[in-house]
Amino acid sequence: MPARVGVVTFPGSLDDGDALRAVARAGAEAVPLWHADPSLHGVDAVILPGGFSYGDYLRCGAIARFSPVMEAVVAHAKDGGPVLGICNGFQVLCESHLLPGALVRNDRMKFVCRDQRLRVESTSTPWTASYDEGQEIVVPLKNGEGCFVAAEATLDELEGEGRVVARYLGGNPNGSMRDIAGIRNARGNVVGLMPHPEHAVEPGFGPGSDGSGIDGLGFFALALESLTA
C-alpha cells in the first residue's frame, strides 16, 4: 500500500494544493488535513505547507502553532514521524519549538520571488535521502520573512551536527545567517525548508526557461521510499 502523507490546511495556506499534488506525483496517497481537526487520521508523514497562516498576524506561524492539529503534529514528530515544513510551514515548526531559531523579515525588507539554487547539505532525513550530499538543485523561492536567524551557539551546533539541510547558492536572497535555507532536528525526522520544492515537480511547470525543472520531486519521493522500505 502507498504511504499516506497528510498536508495541513490553515486559514491563509496557499500552497497546500501544490503540496498535495507533489505527494501524489511521488506515488503516495495525499491526505488533506484541516487545522481545526485534532486528528492526523493515521497518516505516515505530515507536511505543513507554505502560505500566510492566519494572515501572518503577530509573527509568521505564531498563531498556527496553537491550531488543534498541531498538538497531534508535535506528538507525531516526537514519536519519530516525518514532518516537513515548507516556507510558512518552516516558520510554524520554529514557533512550535520543533526546530530551533526563527524566521524574520528579509534583510532588504522586500518580498523575494525567484528560482533559487540550493546545495543539499544533509541527506540523513527521510525528506532528502534521494539527493546526493552536495548536490545542487533549483527550486522556486518566495518569501518576505524568510531570513533564518539563531544564536551563534545554535548555529555552531547545527553546523557541527550536520543539521543544515540546504544552503543558498548564487547569492543569499533574504539575509539568512550562514546562507541557511533549511535545517533538521537532531533526530532527522523534522525538516524545515524555506524554498518551495512542491513548485518543481512537474515538467512544464517548474523552474527554467521551458519549465522543465523537477528538482523538488526528491523531497516527496523519499518521504514515500523511507516510509515503505
Side-chain angles (χ1 to χ4, degrees):
M1 292 180 61
R4 302 178 73 245
V5 181
V7 177
V8 177
T9 296
F10 299 99
S13 294
L14 57 80
D15 294 306
D16 46 338
D18 301 82
L20 287 164
R21 183 171 178 80
V23 168
R25 285 194 60 79
E29 179 184 350
V31 180
L33 299 174
W34 185 240
H35 71 106
D37 186 347
S39 174
L40 296 183
H41 298 281
V43 299
D44 302 298
V46 177
I47 295 174
L48 305 182
F52 304 91
S53 60
Y54 296 91
D56 280 351
Y57 291 117
L58 297 183
R59 295 183 307 276
C60 297
I63 300 177
R65 67 163 290 199
F66 294 108
S67 292
V69 74
M70 285 305 298
E71 185 174 342
V73 172
V74 170
H76 174 78
K78 289 184 176 179
D79 285 341
V83 178
L84 173 65
I86 302 169
C87 196
N88 185 233
F90 187 3
Q91 295 161 342
V92 174
L93 291 177
C94 290
E95 291 290 338
S96 301
H97 307 297
L98 288 174
L99 291 174
L103 284 307
V104 300
R105 178 73 66 180
N106 293 350
D107 62 344
R108 296 174 183 84
M109 305 298 288
K110 293 182 178 180
F111 187 89
V112 177
C113 184
R114 72 188 200 190
D115 291 343
Q116 178 65 49
R117 289 174 57 222
L118 302 174
R119 182 171 61 241
V120 178
E121 302 279 27
S122 172
T123 58
S124 57
T125 84
W127 303 101
T128 57
S130 66
Y131 298 102
D132 295 324
E133 190 171 314
Q135 183 176 344
E136 296 184 11
I137 63 175
V138 177
V139 298
L141 171 82
K142 48 177 185 173
N143 62 71
E145 294 174 289
C147 176
F148 178 75
V149 297
E152 286 296 326
T154 300
L155 293 170
D156 289 342
E157 183 177 291
L158 291 171
E159 299 273 16
E161 295 180 0
R163 291 169 54 192
V164 175
V165 168
R167 212 179 301 266
Y168 296 116
L169 295 176
N172 188 321
N174 49 34
S176 289
M177 300 179 79
R178 305 194 189 181
D179 299 330
I180 290 174
I183 61 173
R184 65 172 178 84
N185 66 346
R187 193 168 180 175
N189 59 304
V190 178
V191 169
L193 184 73
M194 185 47 56
H196 288 263
E198 76 278 17
H199 296 324
V201 300
E202 187 169 3
F205 300 93
S209 59
D210 59 355
S212 62
I214 58 170
D215 287 350
L217 189 59
F219 279 91
F220 306 96
L222 238 292
L224 169 66
E225 181 178 318
S226 66
L227 291 168
T228 57

